[in-house]
Amino acid sequence: MSENSQFTKNSVEPYYGYSIPINEFFRCALSVDCTIIGYDKGDLKILLIKRGAEPFKGQWALPGDLMYPYENLDQAAERVLSHLTGLEDVYMDQVKVFGEVNRHPVGRVITVGYYSLVNIQDYKPKASAWAHQLDWHLVDELPELAFDHNQIVTAALTVLKERIWKDEIGFELLPEKFTLGQIQALWETILQEKFDKANFRKKLLSSQSLIPLNENQQNVSHRPAKLYALCNKDK
Amino acid sequence: MSENSQFTKNSVEPYYGYSIPINEFFRCALSVDCTIIGYDKGDLKILLIKRGAEPFKGQWALPGDLMYPYENLDQAAERVLSHLTGLEDVYMDQVKVFGEVNRHPVGRVITVGYYSLVNIQDYKPKASAWAHQLDWHLVDELPELAFDHNQIVTAALTVLKERIWKDEIGFELLPEKFTLGQIQALWETILQEKFDKANFRKKLLSSQSLIPLNENQQNVSHRPAKLYALCNKDK
DNA sequence: TCAAAAGTGTTATAGGTACACCCATGT
DNA sequence: ACATGGGTGTACCTATAACACTTTTGA
């Protein structure tokens, strides 16, 4: 039971027999919070902002915003991401809704968690009034975040793990041209698991989702690897 | 862009630079809509109510309700289900959020889709003021539903299919004691796919999630099948 | 010449598919 | 006797796991 509500469970009847004025229901705000995941030299990172205003002023948080009256949730999430990174057409998806009564001190704010995968090389930081400071943080060294944002990150990473094999995502975290070794290292980082090199590449190549390029790695102190590109997804 | 909003995209700035009063954000309501799935003699069914009030008066809809100020989303969903069926401790899970701007004619209502699985035999209908009429409808013969409820049902069924193997759910739709043939028929109905009898039972029995009982089917005009019960889930 | 990572082949095994067959019961 | 669904065994095939080996580069 929330302290910021004068209504108790016993005072209400369900549906069309509302014991409180209908207007009392229209007092929620919706927000989106984005877990923006990047990959850099073998490490998974999350883009965080330092909050410039109360509540949780000075604390790190996921970039997010209230949903405006004219937009739907997906649009709000895309707006947050594009304002922050300047990137458009980035992979994004819903994770889960977080609706605990007291999760936001200012009022009843229900948030929808999103996650997106960006290639850190493409990312151009755009500091702005609402994001005084923003930085990539190592995924296993996250500070304590504002609100329930640590929970949102955890849920986002779980969803990513579940979807990586099935939907063949994750390539968004790599440059356009990549080697099989890079994919393997990335998936091993995400799934926290080691794979046999030979078996991994057999499986990946048989999936028909990679295009082999006529190009090799350069300036590496070992046999240069063949570069691949992602097939335009048909499914 | 919604017609019931006086705000346009160009008039706003993101986050902490709000160009509209903060109160304008706290005008949403949250609702839950439950896709209650049952299984009866080889058919999947969904429990629908006939709406007794505008909007969409007289039209079939998913049972749902606005979320009260004192409760969180899961609690709201449990309340809807328990008021409707009298059942407690039923399998339930979030499906997805539906937040299109104009999805609800009365105002900005964002709904969270839930789905739950109930054994029709245990179900005791509880007609009430808000549900004048309620009935099970065959899943492939659903009428046109109020709001975006057809979309919610589709999403719920997709989630069910995705989770059935991984999480070994679906048993909730069967009586406490069941035969392997019954499970196979159920899964074939849900997944719209036929399985080889021998292979299906090998796979299921090797999963260690069923307890064989010392009991058989009775009064069937063929060899009576052994009854099984679901193992208390440990994972 | 060495380290380091790319890249390939071979074998064993587990799991899945297809299908044939027998069993117990009510009518 | 037969229809109906329960229940089992076997042979085959494919996916994958384990591991050994060769190749190409920079230092």
Side-chain angles (χ1 to χ4, degrees):
Chain A
M1 306 295 129
S2 155
E3 299 107 72
N4 53 26
S5 162
Q6 71 265 45
F7 310 107
T8 67
K9 185 160 187 176
N10 295 329
S11 72
V12 294
E13 283 295 315
Y15 217 79
Y16 296 145
Y18 296 129
S19 63
I20 61 176
I22 190 79
N23 268 0
E24 294 299 327
F25 290 96
F26 285 81
R27 303 229 165 165
C28 302
L30 264 286
S31 67
V32 295
D33 287 304
C34 303
T35 304
I36 300 170
I37 304 172
Y39 178 71
D40 187 32
K41 303 189 200 76
D43 292 311
L44 271 194
K45 295 183 175 181
I46 308 250
L47 192 56
L48 298 178
I49 63 160
K50 193 163 230 167
R51 287 180 62 85
E54 295 293 348
F56 296 100
K57 182 168 178 176
Q59 203 164 335
W60 291 101
L62 290 178
D65 197 11
L66 293 174
M67 179 189 70
Y68 280 79
Y70 60 78
E71 67 186 357
N72 64 34
L73 289 159
D74 288 350
Q75 288 165 348
E78 278 167 26
R79 172 170 57 80
V80 167
L81 193 81
S82 124
H83 275 224
L84 197 69
T85 66
L87 299 174
E88 311 273 349
D89 296 323
V90 165
Y91 180 89
M92 286 200 101
D93 209 354
Q94 259 187 39
V95 176
K96 209 181 160 195
V97 199
F98 295 81
E100 291 299 317
V101 175
N102 289 312
R103 62 171 295 283
H104 200 298
V106 169
R108 191 72 198 266
V109 182
I110 285 83
T111 200
V112 180
Y114 278 79
Y115 78 108
S116 64
L117 305 175
V118 309
N119 174 358
I120 284 186
Q121 270 72 46
D122 294 349
Y123 161 78
K124 296 282 168 291
K126 283 181 81 175
S128 67
W130 60 283
H132 292 149
Q133 198 183 334
L134 67 169
D135 256 314
W136 291 103
H137 288 246
L138 284 173
V139 92
D140 0 68
E141 293 172 20
L142 290 186
E144 198 182 322
L145 303 179
F147 308 103
D148 47 7
H149 286 187
N150 287 94
Q151 254 182 277
I152 300 180
V153 172
T154 304
L157 292 172
T158 304
V159 167
L160 172 59
K161 285 183 199 171
E162 284 171 3
R163 293 186 188 166
I164 194 168
W165 278 109
K166 203 171 76 69
D167 301 344
E168 296 204 319
I169 55 172
F171 302 100
E172 296 84 355
L173 296 166
L174 294 173
E176 215 178 314
K177 301 170 178 180
F178 47 80
T179 71
L180 295 182
Q182 286 174 312
I183 309 179
Q184 186 176 345
L186 168 63
W187 286 30
E188 287 177 349
T189 304
I190 293 176
L191 296 169
Q192 307 251 59
E193 201 179 338
K194 285 280 171 194
F195 300 108
D196 180 273
K197 199 202 336 167
N199 299 331
F200 184 85
R201 48 173 58 221
K202 262 179 253 167
K203 186 162 177 181
L204 210 62
L205 290 173
S206 72
S207 80
Q208 305 284 330
S209 51
L210 299 184
I211 308 165
L213 304 173
N214 288 322
E215 239 179 301
N216 286 344
Q217 259 185 326
Q218 302 215 321
N219 300 318
V220 283
S221 75
H222 53 77
R223 176 172 170 181
K226 196 183 194 68
L227 291 171
Y228 290 82
L230 188 57
C231 204
N232 350 344
K233 324 188 174 186
D234 27 321
K235 37 176 181 182
Chain B
M1 307 293 130
S2 155
E3 299 106 72
N4 52 24
S5 162
Q6 71 265 44
F7 310 108
T8 68
K9 184 159 185 174
N10 295 330
S11 72
V12 294
E13 283 296 315
Y15 217 80
Y16 298 144
Y18 296 130
S19 64
I20 61 177
I22 189 80
N23 268 0
E24 294 298 328
F25 291 96
F26 284 81
R27 303 227 165 167
C28 301
L30 263 286
S31 67
V32 296
D33 287 303
C34 302
T35 303
I36 301 171
I37 304 173
Y39 178 69
D40 188 31
K41 303 187 199 74
D43 293 312
L44 271 194
K45 296 184 173 179
I46 308 252
L47 192 56
L48 299 177
I49 63 160
K50 193 163 230 166
R51 287 181 61 86
E54 295 295 347
F56 296 101
K57 183 171 178 171
Q59 204 164 334
W60 291 100
L62 290 179
D65 197 12
L66 294 174
M67 179 188 71
Y68 280 81
Y70 60 78
E71 66 186 358
N72 66 34
L73 289 159
D74 288 350
Q75 288 164 347
E78 278 167 27
R79 171 169 59 78
V80 166
L81 193 81
S82 124
H83 275 223
L84 197 68
T85 66
L87 299 175
E88 310 275 350
D89 296 323
V90 165
Y91 181 89
M92 288 200 99
D93 210 355
Q94 259 188 39
V95 175
K96 209 182 162 195
V97 199
F98 295 81
E100 290 301 317
V101 174
N102 290 312
R103 61 171 299 282
H104 200 299
V106 169
R108 191 72 200 268
V109 181
I110 286 83
T111 200
V112 180
Y114 278 79
Y115 79 108
S116 62
L117 306 175
V118 307
N119 174 359
I120 285 187
Q121 270 72 45
D122 293 350
Y123 161 78
K124 297 280 167 293
K126 283 180 80 173
S128 67
W130 60 282
H132 293 150
Q133 198 182 336
L134 69 167
D135 257 315
W136 291 103
H137 289 245
L138 282 174
V139 92
D140 359 69
E141 293 172 21
L142 290 185
E144 200 182 321
L145 303 179
F147 308 102
D148 47 6
H149 286 187
N150 287 95
Q151 253 181 278
I152 300 180
V153 172
T154 304
L157 292 172
T158 303
V159 168
L160 173 58
K161 284 183 201 170
E162 283 172 3
R163 293 185 187 167
I164 194 167
W165 280 108
K166 204 169 77 65
D167 301 345
E168 296 204 320
I169 54 171
F171 302 100
E172 296 83 354
L173 295 165
L174 294 173
E176 215 179 312
K177 301 170 179 181
F178 47 79
T179 72
L180 295 181
Q182 287 174 313
I183 309 180
Q184 187 176 344
L186 168 64
W187 286 29
E188 286 177 347
T189 304
I190 293 176
L191 296 168
Q192 309 250 57
E193 200 179 336
K194 284 279 172 195
F195 301 108
D196 179 272
K197 200 203 333 171
N199 300 330
F200 183 85
R201 46 174 60 221
K202 263 180 254 166
K203 187 161 176 182
L204 209 62
L205 289 174
S206 73
S207 79
Q208 304 285 329
S209 50
L210 298 185
I211 308 165
L213 304 173
N214 287 322
E215 244 179 299
N216 286 342
Q217 257 185 330
Q218 302 214 321
N219 302 316
V220 283
S221 73
H222 54 75
R223 174 172 170 180
K226 197 183 192 66
L227 291 172
Y228 290 83
L230 187 56
C231 207
N232 349 342
K233 324 187 172 183
D234 30 320
K235 39 177 180 180

